[in-house]
Amino acid sequence: MSENKHIVISKFGDTSVLEIQSKPIPEPAANEVLIRVAFSGVNPIDVKTRAGLGWAAAQNKDNLPWTLGYDIAGEVIQCGANSERFPIGQQVAGFIGFPLEGGGYSQYITVNEAQLSAIPESVTLEAAAAIPLAGQTAIQAINQANVEEGERVLILAGAGGVGHIAVQVAIAKKAEVYTTCGEDNLDFIAGLGAHAINYHFSPVSERLSDVDVLIDLVGGDAALDALKCLKDEARVVTVPTLTAETICERATKLGFRATGMLVSPSTELLDALLYMIGIGMLKVEIESIFPMHQAAEAHAQIETGHTRGKIVLDMK
Ligand SMILES: NC(=O)c1ccc[n+]([C@@H]2O[C@H](COP(=O)([O-])OP(=O)(O)OC[C@H]3O[C@@H](n4cnc5c(N)ncnc54)[C@H](OP(=O)(O)O)[C@@H]3O)[C@@H](O)[C@H]2O)c1
């Protein structure tokens, strides 16, 4: 073991505030394991927090420098005195430190063993790092909306990190799935088995009606327009927190059952996601892998708003 580099922010701002700092390698407490992180997933919440936006930034403003990141995949290299779930050498993934602690953009991290899932041999470390936050958000949104067989489901932004998993989960529930995307993603969405609607061509409300469930991953005007596609008593789950109140208020006035959501880490769900990936039931799209010294480029890619699937950082 040598250095333990972290990607931290000492102040909020543009991508230039991301810096690499070295810290001592931590010792695992009794119920923890020490993980050598191979890949860390990058999520829009990391980018928003870095910029000083949203709840996690407000909570952490007096806690800087702060190590970003919630998604990790790596190898157990040391076990705490009472930790017995994983042998040394086991590959594990986790959705950790959410929302206040973070810490995922680290080369070495100690984590309570209860927050980790074993990675099946057939799943790559890259895919395991990409899936925790986005995959759990996708499943929890579909569950919160009670999507049922045969229902017509509209997912806004089906090509994104959460969206491409939500599309596959809704299809697995035998729903009829429609999703919005740009021209470059039409074939990608068709390959996942959903009907793709190019939102640049015309608003989705001019192309679709009688929708039972709206899963909104875009928010703002796109979500308000999509409400026009819904049938009476449709259900709406709006995932971006910044506009959730506005969307829920409008949807409720129109007679729909609308809720926002905040993803809640669940080891059982991560186990299920990794299992599904392992048997080929779920595909994880990774647009790019950036080395850790290019974290700024990784954040800039997310900020385009047009990432297909996920971005991960190579922490080795
Ligand atoms: N509340 C929670 O607990 C929670 C959890 C996770 C995520 N979130 C939020 O949910 C949102 C989605 O997260 P994510 O990780 O999936 O983001 P993401 O991966 O960055 O989403 C990128 C995708 O959005 C699509 N897109 C952009 N503008 C669009 C539009 N107007 N209509 C349709 N698609 C559009 C892009 O497709 P094209 O290139 O084809 O346009 C791209 O594939 C973010 O706001 C995130 O912060 C909230």
Side-chain angles (χ1 to χ4, degrees):
M1 291 188 224
S2 50
E3 271 191 302
N4 177 19
K5 292 184 193 153
H6 289 225
I7 300 166
V8 305
I9 49 168
S10 300
K11 58 181 178 186
F12 299 123
D14 63 22
T15 58
S16 67
V17 302
L18 293 165
E19 54 177 302
I20 293 184
Q21 286 185 2
S22 272
K23 302 189 180 182
I25 294 173
E27 277 289 316
N31 292 311
E32 291 182 335
V33 293
L34 174 64
I35 299 165
R36 178 165 46 222
V37 178
F39 296 96
S40 300
V42 181
N43 290 288
I45 187 174
D46 306 345
V47 172
K48 289 175 196 169
T49 306
R50 186 216 72 223
L53 302 172
W55 189 72
Q59 295 293 317
N60 276 303
K61 69 179 183 350
D62 299 321
N63 191 24
L64 305 178
W66 189 65
T67 305
L68 297 155
Y70 302 109
D71 285 342
I72 56 162
E75 185 185 341
V76 172
I77 58 167
Q78 194 183 336
C79 296
N82 298 335
S83 120
E84 50 196 27
R85 278 190 70 206
F86 305 108
I88 286 172
Q90 173 71 54
Q91 293 192 334
V92 290
F95 175 13
I96 54 139
F98 185 78
L100 292 185
E101 268 178 67
Y105 293 4
S106 309
Q107 289 186 310
Y108 294 90
I109 188 167
T110 51
V111 179
N112 188 310
E113 62 175 2
Q115 294 173 19
L116 296 166
S117 297
I119 303 176
E121 273 176 22
S122 51
V123 177
T124 64
L125 283 162
E126 292 90 325
I131 198 70
L133 191 156
Q136 292 181 55
T137 306
I139 294 189
Q140 288 172 12
I142 298 286
N143 286 347
Q144 190 167 313
N146 283 320
V147 170
E148 286 182 10
E149 180 171 351
E151 287 192 313
R152 184 175 273 222
V153 176
L154 170 60
I155 298 174
L156 302 184
V162 177
H164 82 295
I165 304 298
V167 163
Q168 296 175 75
V169 173
I171 289 172
K173 289 201 172 253
K174 300 192 178 149
E176 191 187 352
V177 181
Y178 295 81
T179 187
T180 51
C181 63
E183 185 157 359
D184 290 350
N185 282 318
L186 292 171
D187 289 346
F188 171 60
I189 293 296
L192 297 177
H195 304 279
I197 298 173
N198 180 352
Y199 66 90
H200 293 297
F201 189 67
S202 62
V204 67
S205 60
E206 292 176 13
R207 316 267 291 282
L208 191 64
S209 57
D210 287 327
V211 167
D212 298 285
V213 172
L214 170 64
I215 305 290
D216 165 34
L217 299 170
V218 176
D221 290 344
L224 293 174
D225 173 66
L227 295 177
K228 298 177 196 156
C229 303
L230 306 188
K231 62 159 68 155
D232 289 350
E233 297 186 9
R235 286 103 70 200
V236 177
V237 175
T238 178
V239 179
T241 48
L242 292 178
T243 57
E245 209 178 312
T246 313
I247 311 297
C248 287
E249 216 173 272
R250 175 81 67 90
T252 307
K253 265 191 197 143
L254 292 168
F256 307 129
R257 278 176 281 159
T259 49
M261 68 164 275
L262 185 65
V263 61
S264 168
S266 151
T267 314
E268 290 74 25
L269 269 191
L270 184 53
D271 287 343
L273 284 158
L274 290 167
Y275 173 77
M276 288 191 282
I277 298 166
I279 61 167
M281 217 178 126
L282 189 67
K283 291 178 207 145
V284 183
E285 177 76 11
I286 297 180
E287 174 164 321
S288 300
I289 300 174
F290 290 91
M292 73 178 293
H293 68 270
Q294 287 182 7
E297 284 83 346
H299 274 218
Q301 171 56 44
I302 296 278
E303 279 174 331
T304 66
H306 296 290
T307 301
R308 177 188 291 176
K310 295 292 303 176
I311 298 291
V312 296
L313 293 171
D314 186 339
M315 302 301 292
K316 299 187 290 303

